[in-house]
């Protein structure tokens, strides 16, 4: 897992609320347990006109040429609802996304994102509306500064616009240090072993 400090990237606007994990990665593609091979199936039912995934849907936003190379997904409320499948953030990450911005996220999806270094950012409805207005029909590049919990961009008038976001202390630590929950636990291995050595053998 890479450390997250700052990132500047192109925003793709997915103007849909309540996007569930089955929309993000349909159930028929969940046979694998390793974290590879999911990006190609991201939003499969929307990205393709056929079941085999050979005929792209030109109307779906991720297939539009102006959003090629995007790394920031802008969405509406309750993103990542539905099942708890970890494959959903895996697919987003493998496709190339570093950041997902929405007014709200499903709790389990939010935690699964943090655990692989994919940054979920919550902004207000008004701020999200402003970003959608900027991203529609024009290339919007956002800069995310994790140290200062800040999202910024240059608007059409040439002025800098900034939004602040909140992130839990532990989540921020994991992203900045590039460690997941398992890695964080292993960093405490000496303390864990010292505690275990003092326990009675029957325990």
């Amino acid at each position: 897992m890479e450390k997250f400090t700052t990132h500047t990237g192109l925003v793709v606007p997915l103007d849909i609320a309540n996007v569930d994990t089955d929309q993000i990665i349909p159930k028929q593609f969940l046979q694998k347990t390793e974290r590879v091979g999911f990006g190609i199936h991201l939003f499969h039912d929307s990205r393709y006109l056929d079941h085999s995934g050979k005929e792209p849907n030109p109307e779906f936003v991720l297939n539009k040429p102006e959003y090629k190379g995007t790394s920031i997904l802008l969405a509406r409320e309750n993103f990542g609802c539905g099942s708890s499948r970890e494959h959903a953030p895996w697919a987003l990450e493998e496709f190339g996304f570093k950041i997902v911005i929405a007014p709200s996220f499903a709790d389990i999806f939010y935690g699964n994102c943090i655990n692989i270094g994919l940054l979920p950012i919550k902004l207000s409805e008004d701020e999200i509306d402003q970003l959608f207005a900027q991203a529609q029909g024009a290339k919007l590049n956002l800069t995310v500064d994790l140290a200062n919990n800040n999202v910024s961009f240059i608007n059409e008038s040439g002025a800098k616009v900034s939004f602040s976001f909140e992130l839990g202390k532990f989540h921020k630590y994991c992203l900045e240090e590039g460690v997941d929950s398992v890695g964080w636990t292993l960093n405490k291995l000496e303390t864990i072993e010292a505690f275990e050595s003092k326990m009675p053998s029957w325990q």
Side-chain angles (χ1 to χ4, degrees), residues 7-14 66-75 97 99 101 123 127-144 151-157 159-163:
H7 177 77
T8 298
L10 176 65
V11 175
V12 59
L14 183 66
E66 60 264 37
Y67 298 116
K68 185 177 181 180
T70 180
S71 59
I72 301 175
L73 179 64
L74 178 65
F97 286 112
I99 299 159
I101 302 175
L123 295 178
E127 291 166 339
I128 292 292
D129 286 341
Q130 291 184 55
L131 291 178
F132 268 103
Q134 289 288 323
Q136 297 287 358
K139 286 193 173 182
L140 173 62
N141 285 284
L142 279 182
T143 296
V144 175
V151 173
S152 63
F153 66 97
I154 305 299
N155 67 15
E156 295 174 344
S157 301
K160 184 176 181 179
V161 180
S162 298
F163 301 139

Side-chain angles (χ1 to χ4, degrees), residues 8-47:
T8 298
L10 176 65
V11 175
V12 59
L14 183 66
D15 200 358
I16 306 171
N18 302 308
V19 173
D20 63 36
T21 51
D22 196 53
Q23 290 172 274
I24 297 172
I25 181 74
K27 58 184 178 299
Q28 65 265 34
F29 303 115
L30 305 184
Q31 300 94 335
K32 299 179 181 180
T33 54
E34 64 272 19
R35 280 170 44 181
V36 294
F38 297 103
I40 192 172
H41 304 301
L42 179 69
F43 295 115
H44 181 275
D45 294 344
S46 298
R47 280 174 68 195

Side-chain angles (χ1 to χ4, degrees), residues 51-86:
H51 293 297
S52 63
K54 295 180 180 179
E55 187 179 354
N57 176 6
E59 297 302 314
F60 186 61
V61 66
L62 284 185
N63 291 333
K64 294 186 176 182
E66 60 264 37
Y67 298 116
K68 185 177 181 180
T70 180
S71 59
I72 301 175
L73 179 64
L74 178 65
R76 294 295 185 179
E77 67 271 13
N78 199 29
F79 189 84
C81 57
S83 75
S84 61
R85 66 189 67 165
E86 294 174 296

Side-chain angles (χ1 to χ4, degrees), residues 107-123:
D107 290 341
I108 295 177
F109 174 85
Y110 186 92
N112 285 340
C113 285
I114 297 288
N115 220 30
I116 64 168
L118 179 64
L119 173 57
I121 294 176
K122 298 177 185 178
L123 295 178

